[in-house]
Amino acid sequence: MLSELYQKLEQRWGEMVEIRRHLHKHPELSFQEKNTAKYIAEYYRDIGIDVRENVGGNGLIATIKGRLPGKTVGLRADFDALPIQDEKDVEYKSTVPGVMHACGHDGHTATLLVLGKTLNEYRNQLQGTIKLIHQHAEEYAPGGAKPMIEDGCLEGIDVIFGTHLWATEKLGKILFRTGPIMAAADRFEVVIKGSGGHGAQPHKTKDAIVAGAQLITDLQQIVSRRVNPIDPAVVTVGSFVADNAFNVIADSAKLIGTVRTFNPEVRDFIETEIEQIIKGVALSFGCEYEYRFERGYPAVVNHSEETQLLIESAAEIDEVHSVEEIELQMGGEDFAYYLERVKGTFFFTGAAPENADTLYPHHHPRFDINEKALLIAAKTLASATLHYQKKHAEPGITARR
């Protein structure tokens, strides 16, 4: 059956591209994806697949029940876009000002829709159940995964697989990692409260800008001197605002940044250490402060058995030229919440555009993908699903090959 499934997916690659380009032209921001969710629901209903809408918000679950007994496999794709102006000169450029699919979620959705359509046609030969999880709001914490889980999207699921199209890696690569693969992503905000005044009389003030600048410098010591070097971590200040006239000393300054970690103990430690450093800086400058640390997504941690199954499944696909272990990624992903509750694995599918002079990274205004990667992603997810069912089949139960 798998070879027939591959052939059918190959025939429908054009449909994947068409869907991806439609979604690319009509992006919607996190938690605002009403039209996208409607499009997904109508697609499934038109081909006779049962779909549940409004799961944890704008999420959807489509269910395919095979005729033969077996496990329940979850396949997930996200569908929200980003607040970025599309600067590509292509026919499928975003038609929504200031909003674009700059991370490949349009491709994820197109892949899963057509894969679901194709799997459904083989349901009389399928083992078990396949749940197609279309998740909203991956890009913006608290994200869509958590409320979807709270609304029951993982009920009955034995294993879950997900992929991310990776535009900086060559087409034909499948990239995996056992254990941690993507970092926990947290946010912190600090307001330094000093006492402003005239720029010509600094001795009569408590300069919040100078205090903030010292704080940025001191925060660099956390990773370089206070965290064990074998534990990857990042502390980045991304925003420093104290807007005033040129001759005014600021009475307050706001710093916003992110923390990325893999080890939960290091995560806790950095949260505490940031405040200890803030206290010291505030005391030395005679300032007060406000500090808020917001926990984002936890680290994505893949399960070993399911990752090995993915490796073996991907290696059988003709279009896959290499299956490689990827280095730790400091980006975050709320797929982490699924893997905290059920076994599974999250992997990357190489999607670098062909003949591109520059490979634009994810979240860049000129970001794009190689649409041939949609077929590779679909085949890999299909292969992992069917191999998992075969491995866990009841004695005497096999799907027709």
Side-chain angles (χ1 to χ4, degrees):
M1 182 178 70
L2 196 51
S3 60
E4 294 177 20
L5 190 65
Y6 288 164
Q7 290 176 10
K8 186 70 74 172
L9 289 171
E10 289 165 9
Q11 295 167 8
R12 289 175 173 164
W13 173 67
E15 184 180 358
M16 294 183 202
V17 172
E18 182 181 349
I19 293 171
R20 182 257 167 170
R21 293 188 177 189
H22 169 80
L23 296 175
H24 199 86
K25 291 174 70 173
H26 304 284
E28 293 179 296
L29 294 174
S30 304
F31 300 105
Q32 300 176 30
E33 318 94 335
K34 299 294 185 182
N35 291 329
T36 308
K38 182 180 178 182
Y39 179 92
I40 293 168
E42 289 178 350
Y43 182 92
Y44 282 126
R45 289 206 174 97
D46 285 346
I47 56 176
I49 296 179
D50 180 60
V51 60
R52 178 186 165 205
E53 298 178 76
N54 304 312
V55 181
N58 294 328
L60 307 94
I61 304 173
T63 303
I64 301 169
K65 294 184 178 180
R67 183 178 61 84
L68 302 173
K71 299 288 188 178
T72 299
V73 177
L75 302 176
R76 175 270 208 170
D78 39 19
F79 59 85
D80 55 326
L82 285 155
I84 298 172
Q85 180 63 41
D86 194 346
E87 296 180 1
K88 296 189 302 300
D89 184 18
V90 293
E91 176 274 329
Y92 49 88
K93 181 177 181 177
S94 171
T95 60
V96 183
V99 183
M100 74 171 285
H101 276 289
C103 204
H105 296 187
D106 50 346
H108 301 166
T109 302
T111 296
L112 195 58
L113 285 172
V114 176
L115 175 57
K117 176 180 182 178
T118 307
L119 286 168
N120 189 55
E121 293 177 356
Y122 289 89
R123 61 187 178 276
N124 287 335
Q125 302 171 44
L126 283 178
Q127 297 168 239
T129 300
I130 300 171
K131 289 193 175 183
L132 308 167
I133 300 170
H134 287 272
Q135 184 204 308
H136 63 299
E138 185 278 329
E139 295 286 5
Y140 195 81
K146 198 169 184 180
M148 287 191 72
I149 292 168
E150 292 168 353
D151 200 7
C153 82
L154 290 180
E155 288 180 7
I157 288 180
D158 298 294
V159 69
I160 189 165
F161 298 106
T163 189
H164 203 304
L165 299 171
W166 216 235
T168 53
E169 291 287 346
K170 290 182 180 180
L171 183 74
K173 281 188 177 183
I174 294 294
L175 301 140
F176 70 92
R177 191 175 184 89
T178 302
I181 185 171
M182 300 187 77
D186 302 320
R187 181 183 188 274
F188 66 89
E189 182 176 308
V190 184
V191 177
I192 301 293
K193 298 179 178 181
S195 179
H198 200 290
Q201 298 176 320
H203 60 293
K204 296 181 179 180
T205 71
K206 296 176 182 177
D207 194 332
I209 290 180
V210 175
Q214 185 63 52
L215 175 59
I216 292 173
T217 299
D218 290 352
L219 288 175
Q220 309 311 306
Q221 299 177 32
I222 295 177
V223 174
S224 66
R225 290 296 178 269
R226 303 189 187 193
V227 173
N228 189 326
I230 67 173
D231 285 315
V234 169
V235 177
T236 293
V237 176
S239 176
F240 183 8
V241 179
D243 193 20
N244 270 313
F246 78 100
N247 60 348
V248 175
I249 290 176
D251 61 357
S252 68
K254 178 184 285 188
L255 292 78
I256 304 174
T258 187
V259 173
R260 305 296 170 108
T261 55
F262 291 93
N263 185 329
E265 294 180 0
V266 173
R267 191 184 195 187
D268 294 340
F269 175 77
I270 290 179
E271 178 180 356
T272 301
E273 283 299 294
I274 289 175
E275 184 162 24
Q276 292 303 310
I277 291 173
I278 296 169
K279 284 181 180 179
V281 170
L283 180 63
S284 66
F285 283 88
C287 297
E288 296 182 349
Y289 72 90
E290 293 179 359
Y291 171 56
R292 184 166 73 249
F293 191 94
E294 298 176 358
R295 293 287 177 114
Y297 306 151
V300 179
V301 183
N302 286 331
H303 297 263
S304 59
E305 184 177 333
E306 289 67 30
T307 302
Q308 183 59 40
L309 182 142
L310 178 275
I311 294 168
E312 295 168 0
S313 300
E316 297 180 1
I317 298 168
D318 291 341
E319 293 88 347
V320 173
H321 304 142
S322 64
V323 182
E324 301 177 13
E325 184 175 30
I326 194 172
E327 62 185 10
L328 290 169
Q329 300 296 301
M330 301 310 291
E333 240 287 353
D334 68 352
F335 197 86
Y337 291 119
Y338 301 118
L339 293 177
E340 284 184 336
R341 291 161 176 80
V342 299
K343 291 186 175 181
T345 195
F346 188 73
F347 62 96
F348 299 94
T349 300
E354 292 179 300
N355 304 318
D357 295 331
T358 303
L359 292 179
Y360 294 102
H362 295 248
H363 296 208
H364 189 281
R366 297 186 67 83
F367 171 86
D368 207 352
I369 59 172
N370 189 325
E371 292 171 324
K372 293 178 182 177
L374 306 181
L375 177 60
I376 296 174
K379 284 188 174 185
T380 306
L381 290 170
S383 180
T385 298
L386 269 61
H387 279 91
Y388 178 85
Q389 292 287 16
K390 181 180 178 182
K391 182 176 181 179
H392 295 275
E394 297 177 15
I397 301 294
T398 58
R400 185 173 66 82
R401 297 292 289 173

